[in-house]
Amino acid sequence: MLDLIADGIATRLGDGLLGLYVHGSYVAGDFDPARSDLDLLAVLRDVPTATTLELLRPLHARLAVDHPAWADRIEVDYLPTATLTTLADRSGPMIRISPGEPLHLFEATRHYLLNVAFARSTGRSLRGPSPTAVLPPVDRVAVLAVVREHAASWPAWVTDARGRPGAQAYAVLTLCRALHLVTEGTQVSKRRAAAWAAARRLESAELIEWATAWWYDGGTVGAPGRFEEVATLVHSVSAEVAALP
């Protein structure tokens, strides 16, 4: 599947594609073909426009039709060099598709520095030179600031997870990964971060193990969730992330 996506992107963008990189669980060693998302970052020569969007739209539509098992499990950040250069200080245009989010053109905030940092440090090249030759370095201080901002937003977001066990599991795993990054300084997969957090927060270990099992072992939408416990954990970990130096 990865080769199919890479071939499609390269064909559509031609010389406008400077580099294409896969990162996330695919390179972290915890990739599950039945459950995991594919995380890619494409570096564009020129600033994307509505024309670029329409050039890419048929590709992603066809992938969803021909490979329905992957219809909501492909994430691609299409970032031009101009946006990459200034993203730490100001927003810039990008195109993105991700689970639950259609292909769209918008102004990227510095939140996307995380994906740039991870793709640069751990990504594998699918097209073009190595990630470090194309992607700019991302300051560690900026990465930690974005992680803290993201973690701080989860207590409000988790209210939408009531009655949605998948969203609850995702919230737990995401906060575990944020805590690991701020504490240990490295980005790891959700599964590894969850195992680390369960050993560190023994009072929450069973809940973290539940979230991991739901996410990776085929949890069903109709299964009972654990909203109150999840909300408590989210508030607690968010506060811990904010308090860490």
Side-chain angles (χ1 to χ4, degrees), residues 24-217:
S25 61
Y26 190 87
V27 295
D30 290 338
F31 186 77
D32 180 349
R35 301 281 291 182
S36 299
D37 300 333
L38 279 172
D39 303 299
L40 293 92
L41 190 151
V43 181
L44 309 183
R45 185 181 305 277
D46 301 316
V47 171
T49 64
T51 300
T52 317
L53 185 69
E54 294 311 313
L55 188 66
L56 292 166
R57 196 183 301 281
L59 165 65
H60 288 285
R62 176 51 58 188
L63 287 170
V65 170
D66 292 348
H67 304 277
W70 289 97
D72 202 32
R73 295 170 52 209
I74 296 172
E75 177 177 307
V76 189
D77 293 327
Y78 293 93
L79 283 156
T81 55
T83 296
L84 286 168
T85 301
T86 63
L87 192 55
D89 301 313
R90 63 178 185 271
S91 61
M94 73 174 286
I95 290 173
R96 174 176 167 86
I97 185 171
S98 67
E101 185 179 39
L103 187 75
H104 64 298
L105 173 67
F106 66 107
E107 290 286 306
T109 66
R110 70 173 185 166
H111 167 80
Y112 293 94
L113 283 173
L114 293 182
N115 289 353
V116 176
F118 304 150
R120 190 180 194 275
S121 62
T122 66
R124 194 187 88 190
S125 176
L126 302 175
R127 295 290 188 280
S130 70
T132 55
V134 176
L135 296 170
V138 180
D139 183 71
R140 171 175 164 76
V141 173
V143 169
L144 293 179
V146 172
V147 171
R148 288 191 171 95
E149 289 171 6
H150 191 234
S153 66
W154 269 98
W157 290 349
V158 77
T159 59
D160 294 331
R162 188 181 296 275
R164 300 166 57 206
Q168 294 168 30
Y170 182 81
V172 171
L173 299 180
T174 298
L175 267 296
C176 287
R177 188 156 63 169
L179 182 62
H180 182 280
L181 195 152
V182 172
T183 303
E184 302 293 334
T186 57
Q187 167 78 348
V188 296
S189 68
K190 292 184 183 73
R191 188 192 291 271
R192 291 187 185 181
W196 171 87
R200 188 175 190 273
R201 298 173 60 96
L202 295 179
E203 73 283 4
S204 304
E206 192 273 331
L207 180 63
I208 295 171
E209 290 164 2
W210 166 83
T212 303
W214 195 100
W215 195 256
Y216 289 102
D217 298 333

